Amino acid sequence: MPKIIIFPFRSYIQSPIGILEIQATQHHIHSVRFLDKTQSFKQSVDNPLSKLCVAQLQEYFAGKRKDFSIPTQQDGTDFMQEVWENVSDIPFGKTASYLDLAKLAGDEKLTRAVGTANGKNQLAILVPCHRVIGSSGKLTGYAWGLSRKQWLLDHEAKVNNTYAKLF
C-alpha cells in the first residue's frame, strides 16, 4: 500500500513563468511545482520554511540568488535520489546532458532511466532539472513545459552574463 504523506504547509509564488505551489512539512520542502491553468489555488498555510522558500525563489527570479539553502526531501528510489543529487550539482547557468548524468551513474545506457528520474523531480528550480538537455544540445523534456525550461536557462545565462540561445 502506498504511503500517504500530508503536507500541512502550502505557499504560492507568482513567477514570471507561472504560479508555483510549494508544499512543506515542518522540516522540509517536499515539492515546488508549477500549476497549470486548470488548477486552482488552495488556501495558503505558511510556515517559516515555506516563507523562506518563497523568499529564496523571489531572489532567484530577481537574479540575486544562484543557490538555495533550504532543506528538501522527496520520495524516490536510491537511483532517483542519486540522479537528483547529480542534477543539483549542475552549476547555475550551466547544462549537462542526460548522457552526462548516465555516465555519472555508472552506465551510459542509463540515459532513459535518468530521464525518467529527472521527470519525477518534484522540486522545480531547487533541484534544477531544467539544466538537463539532450546530448545534441537541444532542449528535451521538461515536466512543466519546454517554454519554461527555455526561459529558466535564458534567465540563468543573462544573470551570468553568458547569454546564448540553445537554438
Side-chain angles (χ1 to χ4, degrees), residues 7 11 48 50 63 65 88 91 94 98 100 104 107-108 116-117 125 129 139 147 149 164 166:
F7 303 110
S11 299
S50 67
R65 176 172 290 278
S88 294
K94 304 289 183 189
Y98 294 96
D100 294 333
L104 281 174
D107 186 347
E108 64 183 39
T116 299
I125 304 169
C129 56
L139 295 187
S147 63
K149 183 173 189 165
L166 289 174

Side-chain angles (χ1 to χ4, degrees), residues 101-165:
L101 294 170
K103 288 177 180 176
L104 281 174
D107 186 347
E108 64 183 39
K109 294 177 185 170
L110 293 172
T111 54
R112 285 189 182 195
V114 165
T116 299
N118 208 38
K120 293 185 187 251
N121 172 31
Q122 291 297 303
L123 293 166
I125 304 169
L126 302 184
V127 174
C129 56
H130 62 276
R131 296 179 190 153
V132 182
I133 60 172
S135 296
S136 66
K138 298 229 177 188
L139 295 187
T140 58
Y142 188 59
W144 295 285
L146 289 180
S147 63
R148 285 184 174 134
K149 183 173 189 165
Q150 182 70 62
W151 190 96
L152 292 165
L153 291 172
D154 290 346
H155 169 69
E156 292 182 8
K158 287 176 191 174
V159 170
N160 274 351
N161 295 316
T162 58
Y163 186 72
K165 282 278 213 186

Side-chain angles (χ1 to χ4, degrees), residues 8-52:
F9 304 104
R10 181 179 323 244
S11 299
Y12 298 91
I13 176 176
Q14 177 65 55
S15 81
I17 51 176
I19 298 168
L20 284 162
E21 178 184 65
I22 300 157
Q23 293 183 344
T25 58
Q26 190 68 36
H27 303 288
H28 295 96
I29 299 296
H30 291 270
S31 76
V32 176
R33 61 190 185 96
F34 288 97
L35 297 181
D36 66 34
K37 292 179 176 153
T38 63
Q39 295 171 301
S40 60
F41 283 94
K42 296 182 180 172
Q43 180 70 30
S44 286
V45 181
D46 301 314
N47 74 343
L49 186 56
S50 67
K51 287 180 181 180
L52 176 63

Side-chain angles (χ1 to χ4, degrees), residues 74-85 113 116-117 120:
Q74 57 181 328
D75 288 331
T77 65
D78 289 345
F79 179 76
M80 292 168 130
Q81 298 292 338
E82 178 183 357
V83 168
W84 297 330
E85 186 175 323
T116 299
K120 293 185 187 251

